[in-house]
Amino acid sequence: MKLGIVGLPNVGKSTLFNAITKAGAESANYPFCTIEPNVGIVNVPDPRLDVLTKLNSSEKTVPAIIEIVDIAGLVKGASKGEGLGNKFLSHIREVDAILHVVRCFDDKNIVHVDGSVDPIRDVETINLELIFADLETVEKRIDRAKKMSKGGDKKFLEEAKVYEKIKEVLEGGKPANSIDFAKEETEFLKDVSLLTLKPVIFAANISEDEVAGEYENNENYQKLAQYAKEHNSEIIPVSAKIEEEIAQLDDEEKAVFLEELGLTESGLDKLVKAGYKLLGLISYITSGTMETKAWTIVNGTKAPQAAGKIHSDFERGFIRAEVVSYDDLMACGTMVAAKEKGLVRSEGKEYVVKDGDIILFRFNV
């Protein structure tokens, strides 16, 4: 999973990036502090891995990862090259989903690029630039399809129709993901990276004294939450400053700090859950004496394709999968006990892998 952190200058993007990746990106109180994108690799928190590592005396633990890209701040006119717009738009095309950081707190000591805090205005500023950029892409695709259809090829005529449909929606100020595409129409979208088709998680950056739940009374947060709901997006409340403090603590100190704040999980934990939910992702686990490892797949993936995440030979020579759910294994205590109770199953090519499945693949090449 690759997330791109976006937002107007000075909304807390780089501070949040620093906190969740501990990568030390430069963060300062002036626009365009971030020019080239900073990239960080984040381990996906999964307490099941530590339990299985101990159970199987694994030599190492390998969690699933998320790649997070901190992208330069955006201003009005970015689609036409204002600010660092062209760089911004090229970087954002490469991510799976957008983490849109939106400032929801007032602080006279932190400059806002538009002079005041207004989450909906800020969101729509960025959305409009993405729409303008997509319009340019769509118009090029329409011209190309029409030229290619001059020989009478119906495929290109259909492609032109799909992009004309998208163009009409974009010109109405709405994103491409507001369109309910037919299955055959989506085939024309696979080789083009439209910015407004990407799923969005809104990170509502709240003040430090609101993290324990007071943010629900924050009018700016309420507006953004309603906007996210209307646009089928996820929203997570997060204080970039608090996350920055959490990032400096070890696991034991972190647990104490979160408890003192009245929190059960960090912003990173919330972000991972929101990202997995938005992209329809789950994790299965392989565990033995050498390593315990989490593998990220799309929900609905069948066993051979899940095996292919480990190595293409596993998919090509797939015979069967020996599967036990994490909860069943924990209830039994050991793999031997789980087998005795018939909870370790032998599954074939049609088995759909579930979150938390512990799998041993059998294959022959």
Side-chain angles (χ1 to χ4, degrees):
M1 180 162 65
K2 188 173 185 178
L3 297 179
I5 298 185
V6 305
L8 290 171
N10 292 354
V11 296
K13 295 186 316 303
S14 293
T15 301
L16 185 59
F17 174 85
N18 289 350
I20 60 182
T21 67
K22 300 180 185 178
E26 186 180 2
S27 177
N29 186 23
Y30 56 89
F32 308 126
C33 174
T34 308
I35 300 176
E36 291 301 324
N38 296 293
V39 180
I41 302 297
V42 179
N43 291 336
V44 174
D46 191 339
R48 298 174 298 192
L49 299 183
D50 292 330
V51 175
L52 291 170
T53 294
K54 187 175 181 180
L55 182 67
N56 293 315
S57 300
S58 304
E59 292 179 14
K60 62 179 179 177
T61 307
V62 185
I65 61 169
I66 298 176
E67 186 174 346
I68 298 186
V69 183
D70 178 25
I71 301 169
L74 187 65
V75 294
K76 291 175 184 175
S79 59
K80 302 300 180 185
E82 291 294 325
L84 295 165
N86 292 333
K87 283 179 177 288
F88 172 93
L89 296 169
S90 66
H91 295 312
I92 200 174
R93 291 187 194 281
E94 301 168 7
V95 303
D96 299 313
I98 295 170
L99 177 61
H100 190 159
V101 182
V102 185
R103 182 171 157 186
C104 291
F105 67 92
D106 288 301
D107 187 334
K108 62 183 180 181
N109 295 316
I110 301 177
V111 178
H112 190 289
V113 72
D114 285 329
S116 63
V117 175
D118 184 336
I120 305 307
R121 178 203 61 207
D122 292 355
V123 167
E124 291 182 344
T125 294
I126 285 188
N127 284 352
L128 197 57
E129 296 308 319
L130 302 185
I131 286 170
F132 286 151
D134 276 355
L135 263 173
E136 187 176 339
T137 300
V138 165
E139 286 167 353
K140 288 178 181 177
R141 297 291 296 208
I142 292 170
D143 289 342
R144 174 182 171 276
K146 285 182 176 178
K147 287 177 183 176
M148 298 296 286
S149 67
K150 286 182 179 177
D153 192 325
K154 290 184 178 180
K155 176 186 173 183
F156 290 107
L157 288 172
E158 290 300 316
E159 181 180 352
K161 283 183 183 178
V162 171
Y163 283 101
E164 290 280 10
K165 178 179 178 179
I166 297 172
K167 181 182 178 183
E168 184 178 348
V169 169
L170 293 173
E171 287 179 336
K174 294 183 178 180
N177 61 17
S178 64
I179 302 171
D180 188 14
F181 292 102
K183 187 176 180 181
E184 56 271 19
E185 291 178 321
T186 60
E187 293 299 312
F188 296 112
L189 305 175
K190 288 182 177 179
D191 64 339
V192 65
S193 184
L194 291 180
L195 305 175
T196 62
L197 271 180
K198 295 183 185 295
V200 178
I201 303 169
F202 290 108
N205 191 8
I206 55 177
S207 63
E208 296 99 305
D209 57 3
E210 292 179 318
V211 293
E214 288 81 358
Y215 63 84
E216 294 179 2
N217 299 318
N218 179 323
E219 188 177 334
N220 288 321
Y221 175 83
Q222 291 172 351
K223 289 178 181 178
L224 185 61
Q226 183 60 35
Y227 184 93
K229 183 179 179 181
E230 291 170 358
H231 291 80
N232 299 314
S233 299
E234 294 289 319
I235 181 171
I236 57 170
V238 60
S239 168
K241 292 297 291 181
I242 290 291
E243 293 301 315
E244 195 171 37
E245 291 179 39
I246 291 174
Q248 310 304 317
L249 307 175
D250 61 32
D251 289 343
E252 189 174 326
E253 291 172 329
K254 173 184 168 183
V256 172
F257 186 55
L258 288 173
E259 186 177 351
E260 289 175 350
L261 290 172
L263 301 175
T264 56
E265 57 185 353
S266 69
L268 174 58
D269 294 332
K270 293 176 186 176
L271 170 60
V272 170
K273 288 179 181 177
Y276 268 57
K277 179 181 177 182
L278 194 65
L279 296 173
L281 302 176
I282 60 172
S283 293
Y284 75 86
I285 304 166
T286 55
S287 185
T289 55
M290 289 186 66
E291 70 175 17
T292 291
K293 184 169 183 174
W295 302 86
T296 301
I297 57 173
V298 175
N299 195 8
T301 299
K302 292 182 179 179
Q305 288 69 50
K309 289 286 289 184
I310 299 174
H311 196 284
S312 58
D313 284 350
F314 281 37
E315 180 176 357
R316 186 159 55 92
F318 180 87
I319 299 174
R320 69 181 185 276
E322 295 178 7
V323 185
V324 61
S325 77
Y326 176 81
D327 289 340
D328 284 345
L329 179 59
M330 290 302 101
C332 294
T334 66
M335 187 65 78
V336 172
K339 286 180 178 178
E340 288 175 352
K341 292 186 178 181
L343 296 174
V344 180
R345 313 180 308 278
S346 181
E347 301 286 1
K349 293 182 178 181
E350 295 304 309
Y351 177 69
V352 177
V353 175
K354 298 177 179 60
D355 185 62
D357 275 351
I358 301 163
I359 307 179
L360 173 64
F361 291 107
R362 301 293 186 183
F363 71 103
N364 182 34
V365 177

